[in-house]
Amino acid sequence: MAGSAETGDGMRICDIQAGEVRIPLRKPFKTALRTVENVEDILIRVVTDDGSEGFGEAPPTAVITGDTKGSILTAVRDFIRPALIGMEIENPEAIFRKLDACVVRNTSAKAAVDMAIYDLFAKRCGMPLYQVLGGARKELETDLTISVNEIDQMVEDSLEAVKRGYRILKVKVGKEGLRDVARIAEIRKAVGPDIRLRVDANQGWDARQSVRIIHALEDRGLDIELVEQPVPARDFEGMKFVTARVDTPILADESVFSAQDAVRLIQERAADLINIKLMKTGGIYHALAICSVAEIYGVECMIGCMLESRLAVSAAAHLAAAKAVITRVDLDGPSLCLTDPHEGGPEYRENIIRMTDAPGIGITKVPCSFHSEGNQAGLFL
Ligand code: MG
């Protein structure tokens, strides 16, 4: 690969490859938007001319990001790979600007490549990524998602989560309006007052209905920490309407992808809290911009994930360990998976995520074969 000689010891990107991972979930993941039974994600491997490698991951969360396996693979193969090959890892700023400009949207594909670049850069620095990002938190506490189901099932799942050691539950609702209040009431009764409950409607209510439901939760003293994305993503006025009328903090998730979205949401008081997910922002580079916006306005953030394995979730964990403005952690992807095929990286012990001193993201081995351009069948994979 040409390049190294020009700048002496510069490490240049010589290939970006894709592979695929499939991990069964412990139980089906159900929200107001979808039901999923397996994590089926695209893995990315960025290789430099000295043989170093960085890893990334992108879930095809079509209902939220619009990204599918096909679109992720095509964005990487036809736009990102040709744009970034030959660039120097020692100049990550230039890489992230090029990554941003070479194709619009496609935030999941960009996130996978962005985290692989951060992985390589931190390995180059010989430090764990969270330290490169300026942080020192060694431990994070995550919640666990309770899928939307019949009430009995949700109560059973909540009790099982508490038994596993989780002290914070994120309860998925949003399918049946006021019946969601009964769901939460039964769960609160079962788990007692010491468990923190977050409610995620995944855009399942309209604005007036949201106010009625949240008032009912408040009137019944169910002690809800926050309500996430009550109304459709693009119903900005609806988010404002709800946020202005209830005491419970409103967390924007599907309504905020970019730092620009965060500025508008905060300035127009359309939410109290921001949920950062690397698959929405297009990676850590832009997630840091949202952190800065939130710091400026004094707004706290949650870090979340899609259905991702321990690879992408660990990239998000490094960001959370680095930024004090991220006060809430919803990184339960690995906890929802039945198996963990990766080696190395942060340790997940139910509700506690422990950062390690390994350089980069820390994942040393991933369970798939990678391809650059195409296999014998002419496909990317
Ligand atoms: Mg959400």
Side-chain angles (χ1 to χ4, degrees):
M1 192 70 215
S4 303
E6 291 166 25
T7 50
D9 62 351
M11 259 169 45
R12 287 175 188 265
I13 297 171
C14 66
D15 203 0
I16 299 180
Q17 307 164 334
E20 199 174 349
V21 69
R22 186 169 191 274
I23 308 168
L25 295 174
R26 295 165 73 113
K27 47 182 79 171
F29 181 86
K30 296 183 189 175
T31 75
L33 295 171
R34 58 185 180 143
T35 297
V36 185
E37 289 179 9
N38 296 290
V39 165
E40 288 184 69
D41 291 357
I42 302 298
L43 298 192
I44 294 295
R45 179 173 179 253
V46 178
V47 190
T48 55
D49 50 11
D50 70 339
S52 303
E53 54 184 9
F55 296 111
E57 175 181 0
T61 319
V63 288
I64 296 172
T65 58
D67 300 331
T68 62
K69 275 191 200 176
S71 72
I72 292 165
L73 289 170
T74 304
V76 173
R77 183 192 59 196
D78 294 350
F79 296 91
I80 297 172
R81 184 171 179 270
L84 301 193
I85 280 187
M87 295 193 81
E88 275 185 66
I89 288 297
E90 286 78 2
N91 188 357
E93 174 79 7
I95 298 176
F96 296 129
R97 294 181 74 92
K98 192 88 164 268
L99 176 60
D100 200 36
C102 69
V103 56
V104 299
R105 303 181 199 275
N106 285 284
T107 50
S108 306
K110 287 175 179 172
V113 174
D114 163 288
M115 72 180 70
I117 300 293
Y118 272 104
D119 188 22
L120 272 165
F121 182 69
K123 282 174 180 165
R124 178 74 169 153
C125 297
M127 291 159 75
L129 177 55
Y130 72 97
Q131 285 181 6
V132 171
L133 297 174
R137 274 164 92 183
K138 295 278 182 213
E139 251 185 35
L140 304 169
E141 179 172 6
T142 181
D143 58 27
L144 186 74
T145 298
I146 303 299
S147 284
V148 59
N149 273 306
E150 289 304 318
I151 292 179
D152 290 353
Q153 182 68 52
M154 293 180 78
V155 167
E156 196 185 311
D157 290 347
S158 300
L159 288 171
E160 187 192 311
V162 170
K163 222 177 188 176
R164 283 172 68 186
Y166 292 91
R167 300 187 301 173
I168 314 167
L169 304 181
K170 183 158 124 170
V171 182
K172 294 287 190 183
V173 293
K175 281 195 150 175
E176 292 173 290
L178 279 169
R179 206 172 132 75
D180 286 330
V181 177
R183 284 195 160 90
I184 305 295
E186 287 303 313
I187 291 171
R188 171 57 81 203
K189 203 167 95 189
V191 300
D194 297 333
I195 300 298
R196 256 200 274 169
L197 293 182
R198 301 169 175 165
V199 172
D200 189 355
N202 283 106
Q203 317 177 52
W205 304 327
D206 66 33
R208 286 179 193 285
Q209 191 183 24
S210 300
V211 172
R212 276 203 305 277
I213 292 170
I214 297 168
H215 280 163
L217 294 171
E218 290 169 351
D219 292 346
R220 294 180 67 164
L222 297 179
D223 191 20
I224 303 306
E225 183 194 4
L226 56 89
V227 171
E228 184 169 338
Q229 196 65 47
V231 303
R234 293 298 148 209
D235 186 6
F236 222 85
E237 292 305 315
M239 287 292 282
K240 269 171 83 169
F241 183 91
V242 179
T243 303
R245 284 167 179 78
V246 301
D247 291 333
T248 308
I250 300 299
L251 171 71
D253 182 6
E254 289 95 325
S255 287
V256 52
F257 273 54
S258 65
Q260 291 91 326
D261 292 340
V263 169
R264 186 173 166 219
L265 266 159
I266 295 170
Q267 285 189 337
E268 297 192 24
R269 297 184 186 280
D272 301 294
L273 302 158
I274 305 281
N275 189 346
I276 298 173
K277 291 178 180 166
L278 300 183
M279 298 306 144
K280 296 185 298 174
T281 60
I284 293 169
Y285 184 74
H286 291 290
L288 287 168
I290 296 185
C291 288
S292 297
V293 167
E295 285 160 2
I296 290 165
Y297 287 98
V299 166
E300 293 178 13
C301 298
M302 175 186 272
I303 185 91
C305 58
M306 305 295 184
L307 284 171
E308 298 160 20
S309 76
R310 200 162 55 80
L311 171 53
V313 171
S314 293
H318 277 278
L319 176 68
K323 303 303 291 182
V325 75
I326 297 174
T327 55
R328 293 167 177 82
V329 177
D330 173 27
L331 295 179
D332 62 354
S335 312
L336 301 171
C337 290
L338 192 59
T339 58
D340 173 18
H342 303 298
E343 288 177 22
E347 294 157 14
Y348 292 71
R349 290 188 199 135
E350 300 295 3
N351 60 325
I352 301 298
I353 302 172
R354 266 201 77 76
M355 308 310 291
T356 71
D357 292 332
I361 294 172
I363 301 283
T364 50
K365 205 164 168 221
V366 299
C368 72
S369 54
F370 288 97
H371 305 273
S372 308
E373 296 259 25
N375 57 14
Q376 294 95 329
L379 301 168
F380 193 30
L381 283 178

